[in-house]
Amino acid sequence: MPRPIPRIDIPHTDLWTALFERKDKPFPDSQVLYQCPVTGRNYTYASLRRTTEQLGSGLRRHFSWQKGDVLALFSQNCIDTPAVTWGCHWAGGIVSPANPAYTVRELVHHLKDSGSKALFTQRSLLPVALKAAAESGISRDRIVLIGEERDPGFKHFTQLLDEIPRGTRAKLVPDEDLSFLVYSSGTTGLPKGVMLTHLNVVSDMFMVNSAEGELLKWNRDKILSVLPYYHIYGLQCLVHFPAYSGLTTVVMSSFNLQNFCSIIQNYKITYTYVAPPILVHLAKNPIVSNYDLSSLRMITSGAAPLTKDLIYAVKDRLGIEVKQAYGLSETSPVTHVQRKWDVGMGSNGPPLPNQIVKFVDPDGNEVPTGQEGEVWIAGPNVFKGYHNNIAATLASKTPDGFFKTGDLGYEDEHGNMYITDRVKELIKFKGFQVAPAELEGLLMGHDSVHDVAVIGSYDESIASEVPLAFVVLKEGMEKNEENAQAIVKWLEERVARHKRLRGGIRWINEIPKTASGKILRRKLKNILAEDVKDAKVKAKL
């Protein structure tokens, strides 16, 4: 049987109500929640609430916004993101964040699949946004800018704000109406829309607060926002959680090590959420020594597993404690968080409240404590289903509400969860999901490629997997570095940065497959492991 997990009270309400109509807010309305370190501009709790109401009303007036309309948000991190998000919710809309590194092809899929009625973006992203919007049927007058830069040809979101909000806030059914449509890569190709209801997100926010709220106080701590807001990890932990807990978060548009360290030093940052590659910098990069990071007392890392060596390296060099968390887009996302960095080290910690977590063998039977199985999770934070994809929903959710994560792991006697492998074929590059099938489909369109298989190759220097392609060349083509680089470059022009073949090309005479044609990726991983082993032996000689 699954281990008993504590329960907390979660209000049956929508996200806007949970944030802005609460009776137990411990911090003042003047508390700064989101701070831009470049311009000095910020949002207090009071100005944030007012802006959401003004924008929600303005969306109705300018765009005849209806309950259930989807607003696509194609942007780097920006202090305007929370106001736009909850302004859309005030009007009954659904927010669908898109990766700012998307190519036109990828953004078109996102806009079409989500059925977006408007596109909020930034001036620097207009070249991609304009082309994708045109192909998706979104008119220019529904492309709206956020952030500091303006363009005379497009509305800025501040021009949509009604000085006095008109009408009333949309009435929502928390466990039915969607708050977000986030996109998660699947093994079969293009990303799938993950439907998160208001209750899903509110539940996870309260679950996160039950653990992190014990560690962080609004009148003592400051958070650095560096994880991308379009990703559910950043969205929950760095947008929703600070607004609920009253923590000031200093917002970086994207990661840069010098800026990261400078902000920690200048704003006396005490806490941040990261992915493992940032920890590699903190452990090894000489630039870090130029800054005083003594205010930073703790880091939570998610998106990919950490090695104990890396945790100790950061602690030994900087005195900073690093703990781990686990979650998925489909679970809103956080399901597990370490409470203390040195308790259950190497694990993701125990489950957050109000969930049922079990570990299941290939036959669907629950395995005993300490034995490896696929992680299945049920709870109020588990998503409604995949947008326009009933087959994928049925394949991933059981009739009694468990989500099959596709991750293999086990639980120790104290309830700490350790992730050991993945059932799914997804590659995780710095926390971003990369679907091998999508890259394979594109690579098959290259003139030199006869057959191809893509796998993840672990790169110790960045503590992350990178995509690597095994390629069977067409007859007459030479297996040389020039052709390999040509294929890598060709793919770069067609995908977002995180999907590039950073692991390079490996030539192979035949892709190993089952009789039914399924790629045997485990055999390819074994071939790669042997290549790495041989290279290390040669290096010692």
Side-chain angles (χ1 to χ4, degrees), residues 377-393:
I377 300 173
N381 52 319
V382 172
F383 74 135
K384 188 174 184 178
Y386 293 112
H387 183 57
N388 293 331
N389 199 332
I390 295 173
T393 302

Side-chain angles (χ1 to χ4, degrees), residues 319-352:
I320 298 170
E321 298 176 358
V322 179
K323 57 192 185 72
Q324 294 197 76
Y326 173 84
L328 309 101
S329 297
E330 291 86 348
T331 54
S332 305
V334 189
T335 66
H336 293 70
V337 179
Q338 261 185 298
R339 304 308 195 264
K340 294 182 178 180
W341 77 283
D342 55 352
V343 176
M345 186 177 287
S347 79
N348 300 111
L352 292 174

Side-chain angles (χ1 to χ4, degrees), residues 3 5-6 335-337 339 349-353 355 357 411 415-417:
R3 180 185 302 275
I5 297 172
T335 66
H336 293 70
V337 179
R339 304 308 195 264
L352 292 174
Q355 301 175 105
V357 180
E411 190 176 69
N416 298 306
M417 183 177 74

Side-chain angles (χ1 to χ4, degrees), residues 188 192 374 376 383 385-386 389-399 402-406 424:
T188 55
K192 301 191 296 290
E374 184 181 3
W376 288 16
F383 74 135
Y386 293 112
N389 199 332
I390 295 173
T393 302
L394 292 174
S396 66
K397 291 183 73 175
T398 66
F402 280 91
F403 171 58
K404 305 174 185 179
T405 68
K424 294 179 180 178

